[in-house]
Amino acid sequence: MRGCGLLNKGKSVDSIEDLLRRLEQLNAIGAALSKERDITRLLESILVAAKTITHADGGTLYRVTEDRQALRFEILKTDSLNIAMGGTSGKPIDFPNLPLRDEQGRPNDSLVAAYAAIHSQTVNIVDAYTEANFDFSGTRQFDARTGYRSQSFLAVPMKDHEGDVIGVLQLINAKRAASGEVVPFSSSDQSLAESLASQAAIAITNRSLMSQLETLFEAFISLINLAIDEKSHYTGGHCQRVPALTMMLAEAVNAHQRGPLAAFNMDDRDRYELKIAGLLHDCGKVTTPVHVVDKATKLQTLFDRIDLIDTRFEVVKRDEEIAALRAQLALREPKDAATESKLWTQCREKIDALDADRAFLRRVNQGAESMQDADLQRVRDIGHQRTWRSVSGLEAELLSADEIENLTIRAGTLTFGERDVINNHIVATIKMLEQLPWPKHLKNVPEYAGGHHERMDGKGYPKGLTRDQMSVQARVMGIADIFEALTARDRPYKEGMKLSQAMRIMNKFSVGGHIDPDLFEIFVQEGVYLRYAHQFLDPWQIDTTNPKDWM
C-alpha cells in the first residue's frame, strides 16, 4: 500500500494495560463528543483526543470543502512549539486549502492528507525525510524556519455514515511516553486513531445535520414572521425587537446573583429555547385580519371611513346653501334685503356648526387621547340629531350605529370586538405551537411564547395565570412585549413614547400586579432598558436615564 511505511519500528509493543487504558480513553472521548453541540469545540476536542491517545506532538484537522475540491484547515496544534491555531485559539489559520485535484483534474496524490481523502485510506509514514512517495518540501521548509523535525506522520480519513470522506485527521511525531523520543505510529496507534476518526465523523455529521435542521427550522420561523410582516409592516419590527429585548433581560437575570431570582440560570440550550419562543411569540397574528392589526384610526376598515362622513357633511352643507338660496329666490319679488341677510346668517351659522362637528369627529377618530363622557355624548348627538339626504333622496341619521360605536371608543382605536380579535392571536399562537412535536430541549416554547399576555395578578389572558403559575421566561417575555409596544415608533396609531413616559407606565404596571416586580427591578438596576433604548429607539425618545424621573 502506497505510503504505508513501516509500523512498530523503533517503538515498543504497547502493553495490555496501556491498550486497555487507551481504549477507556477512547470510550470516554466518544461519549464526550456525542454531547458537544458547538461545532468548533467539537473539532478541537477531536484533534486533542487523537493527539492524546496516540501520544502525538502535533496534529491538524482538515475538513472537505463544500464543493469537495479541497481540504480546509480547521484546527492546528503542535505542543513542543506551543502552536495553536484555529478553533477556540482565536488565531485564524491563513494557510491555503489543499487541492484534491490539479488543474488537469488529476488526483493530488503528492500530499499525504489529500491522498488519504481521495483514496479513503489511512497513510502511516515512518520518516517524512526518507519517504519518496510524497512531497514533503513544505514540511522541510517549515522545519528549517522553526528548528522542528517532522518525522512520523499518520493521516486518517474521517468518513460519514454513507462512506463519504468529510475530513482528514493528520497527526505528527508520535512520542514515547517515558523518554519523549519521536517514534513511528504503531499499529495500535493507527487502529485507535481510525476508531476515533470514525466516531468523530459521526459526531461531526450529526452536529452538521442538527445545525442544518436548526437552520431550516429558524428559516420557517422567519417565513412566518415574513408573512406577518408582509401582511402588516407595522408588526414586522415587533417580531424582531421583542426576542432581542427578551434575551437582554434574561441574560441580566442569569447574571444576577442575589435576590429572589438568584437561582435562575440558563445554559446554551435554555438560551436557544427562549430565543425560539421569542421569535414565535406572535405567530398567531398570521390569522388576525389585517384591517384590525393595522387599524390606525377608529373608523378604519379597508379604508378610513371618516372620508365618507366628510362627504355627508359636505352634502348637509350643500343642502343648507340650497335651502338658503331657494328662500332668497322666493323673496326676489318683494326684495326684502333684511330677510335675505338673516337667511344667509342663519345658513352660515349652521355651516360653521357643521364644520366644528366635522373637525371634532376627525380629531376623536385618531384615538390619540382618552375621551371624556361629554365627548362620547357629543358623538352620539351628532350621529342621531343630524341628518343627511343621500343621492337617492332618502333621509338618514348622519352616523350609522357602527360608526357611533367606533367613534365612541374611549381609548385607542379598537372596539371590544376588535380587541377580542387581536387578543385571539395569543390563543392562535398557543394552538399552533402545541400542534408541533417539540424535541425535549424545546418543549417549553409553547408556554414561554403563550404567556406574554398574562398578568402577575391573574387578570391577563388567555388563561388568567398568576405569577406562581408562570415560568420566569414567560414573565420576562411579558415585560419585553409591553416595553417594546410602548416605545415602538412604527405603529399606525401612535408615535413611540419617550423613555421617561414608558418607564413611568412600566413602574405603575410593576406596582399594580401587571408585570413581575422582581424582574422589573433587574430591568432597571442592570440598565437593560437603556441598552435596548440606545439600540432600538430614536435619540429624541431617550429623554432621561435617571430612575428618579419615573419612580
Side-chain angles (χ1 to χ4, degrees):
M1 181 171 64
R2 180 187 181 196
C4 188
L6 299 176
L7 300 180
N8 294 317
K9 182 178 180 181
K11 186 174 183 178
S12 61
V13 177
D14 297 306
S15 67
I16 297 299
E17 292 79 5
D18 185 55
L19 283 175
L20 288 174
R21 179 182 56 79
R22 294 205 283 169
L23 283 172
E24 289 178 357
Q25 282 183 311
L26 183 63
N27 289 334
I29 290 165
L33 294 181
S34 66
K35 297 176 182 177
E36 182 57 68
R37 290 176 54 84
D38 183 87
I39 189 67
T40 300
R41 291 198 297 266
L42 173 62
L43 295 175
E44 189 161 348
S45 297
I46 291 168
L47 180 60
V48 171
K51 288 171 66 279
T52 300
I53 64 174
T54 61
H55 307 302
D57 181 50
T60 303
L61 191 147
Y62 304 90
R63 290 183 74 185
V64 176
T65 56
E66 288 74 13
D67 60 6
R68 303 196 65 79
Q69 296 301 307
L71 291 176
R72 178 177 63 245
F73 286 85
E74 293 286 353
I75 315 284
L76 188 154
K77 286 181 177 291
T78 303
D79 294 341
S80 61
L81 294 177
N82 197 27
I83 293 176
M85 301 175 68
T88 61
S89 69
K91 297 178 181 178
I93 302 177
D94 55 3
F95 302 150
N97 293 342
L98 304 184
L100 296 179
R101 298 190 179 276
D102 61 20
E103 294 179 356
Q104 285 71 43
R106 294 172 300 197
N108 182 15
D109 289 342
S110 63
L111 300 178
V112 174
Y115 184 94
I118 295 167
H119 299 282
S120 186
Q121 179 178 311
T122 297
V123 180
N124 193 330
I125 303 296
V126 173
D127 191 338
Y129 281 40
T130 61
E131 178 60 51
N133 292 320
F134 294 99
D135 179 8
F136 283 103
S137 58
T139 299
R140 289 174 178 269
Q141 291 172 11
F142 174 81
D143 289 355
R145 289 197 310 270
T146 62
Y148 193 67
R149 173 62 165 90
S150 301
Q151 186 171 321
S152 53
F153 277 73
L154 182 65
V156 184
M158 296 189 297
K159 292 178 282 188
D160 64 14
H161 60 288
E162 296 179 342
D164 293 329
V165 176
I166 63 171
V168 172
L169 188 58
Q170 180 174 280
L171 303 168
I172 303 174
N173 286 2
K175 289 186 174 184
R176 289 187 190 276
S179 65
E181 176 190 358
V182 175
V183 293
F185 288 95
S186 69
S187 58
S188 56
D189 288 335
Q190 181 172 328
S191 296
L192 289 168
E194 288 173 341
S195 179
L196 174 60
S198 178
Q199 294 184 55
I202 293 172
I204 292 171
T205 301
N206 288 343
R207 185 60 253 166
S208 296
L209 288 173
M210 286 293 294
S211 295
Q212 290 171 15
L213 288 174
E214 288 172 356
T215 300
L216 179 63
F217 179 55
E218 290 183 32
F220 273 114
I221 295 174
S222 297
L223 188 67
I224 292 172
N225 287 339
L226 177 63
I228 296 172
D229 193 12
E230 288 293 318
K231 186 176 183 180
S232 169
H233 66 274
Y234 296 117
T235 59
H238 176 80
C239 292
Q240 301 303 317
R241 290 190 293 268
V242 168
L245 181 52
T246 295
M247 296 311 297
M248 284 184 190
L249 179 53
E251 291 292 359
V253 179
N254 185 61
H256 211 67
Q257 300 299 315
R258 59 187 185 278
L261 294 169
F264 176 81
N265 63 82
M266 298 186 299
D267 59 21
D268 288 344
R269 288 197 169 201
D270 296 328
R271 289 181 175 87
Y272 185 72
E273 185 176 40
L274 184 55
K275 169 191 169 185
I276 295 300
L279 290 170
L280 286 170
H281 83 284
D282 267 351
C283 66
K285 281 186 178 177
V286 74
T287 67
T288 307
V290 67
H291 72 274
V292 177
V293 175
D294 284 358
K295 194 179 182 190
T297 64
K298 295 179 180 180
L299 290 176
Q300 183 173 330
T301 50
L302 298 179
F303 62 95
D304 192 348
R305 291 173 293 166
I306 194 68
D307 295 327
L308 295 180
I309 296 175
D310 273 347
T311 301
R312 294 175 203 159
F313 272 101
E314 290 299 326
V315 170
V316 174
K317 288 163 61 177
R318 174 206 63 189
D319 289 345
E320 289 296 333
E321 290 180 349
I322 291 174
L325 288 171
R326 284 175 176 170
Q328 279 186 325
L329 289 174
L331 294 172
R332 274 289 172 251
E333 284 187 7
K335 296 181 180 179
D336 187 342
T339 302
E340 288 185 13
S341 177
K342 182 179 179 180
L343 288 171
W344 272 114
T345 299
Q346 292 173 345
C347 176
R348 189 69 260 167
E349 289 174 351
K350 291 179 180 179
I351 290 174
D352 288 343
L354 287 168
D355 282 338
D357 285 346
R358 178 170 66 173
F360 168 74
L361 293 184
R362 293 190 69 86
R363 177 173 60 82
V364 301
N365 183 48
Q366 299 303 311
E369 56 188 45
S370 181
M371 295 180 68
Q372 303 300 314
D373 290 341
D375 294 331
L376 299 177
Q377 187 57 48
R378 183 177 177 183
V379 172
R380 299 186 188 100
D381 291 343
I382 292 172
H384 294 312
Q385 294 175 9
R386 290 198 179 279
T387 59
W388 76 294
R389 193 176 301 278
S390 67
V391 176
S392 60
L394 296 177
E395 188 172 9
E397 291 182 345
L398 187 67
L399 302 177
S400 68
D402 180 73
E403 289 164 345
I404 291 176
E405 179 188 7
N406 279 269
L407 286 170
T408 52
I409 296 170
R410 187 174 289 274
T413 63
L414 299 177
T415 65
F416 290 115
E418 289 166 342
R419 286 193 180 278
D420 287 341
V421 171
I422 285 288
N423 291 348
N424 187 66
H425 85 274
I426 193 63
V427 177
T429 293
I430 295 172
K431 287 181 178 178
M432 291 167 64
L433 296 182
E434 288 182 344
Q435 293 298 311
L436 297 176
W438 296 99
K440 182 179 178 181
H441 68 287
L442 295 175
K443 63 183 176 63
N444 295 309
V445 166
E447 192 264 328
Y448 295 168
H452 66 277
H453 284 298
E454 301 289 354
R455 292 176 44 139
M456 303 305 99
D457 56 11
K459 297 179 182 179
Y461 62 90
K463 297 180 180 180
L465 302 177
T466 62
R467 173 180 174 175
D468 293 338
Q469 295 173 305
M470 298 171 63
S471 65
V472 173
Q473 287 88 337
R475 286 179 264 156
V476 165
M477 198 172 298
I479 289 179
D481 189 74
I482 293 172
F483 187 71
E484 190 284 333
L486 292 175
T487 56
R489 59 186 187 279
D490 55 4
R491 294 296 192 271
Y493 45 83
K494 71 174 186 65
E495 290 184 342
M497 285 185 185
K498 291 186 176 181
L499 192 57
S500 60
Q501 182 183 2
M503 290 300 290
R504 197 172 294 116
I505 293 173
M506 294 292 289
N507 186 57
K508 185 185 299 183
F509 283 173
S510 173
V511 174
H514 195 133
I515 62 176
D516 188 321
D518 295 329
L519 286 174
F520 181 66
E521 183 178 355
I522 295 176
F523 186 70
V524 176
Q525 285 184 356
E526 301 301 324
V528 177
Y529 71 96
L530 198 56
R531 290 201 302 276
Y532 176 85
H534 285 304
Q535 187 172 346
F536 292 103
L537 304 190
D538 283 338
W540 66 266
Q541 291 180 269
I542 308 174
D543 60 335
T544 182
T545 60
N546 188 352
K548 292 182 180 179
D549 292 337
W550 60 75
M551 292 298 189

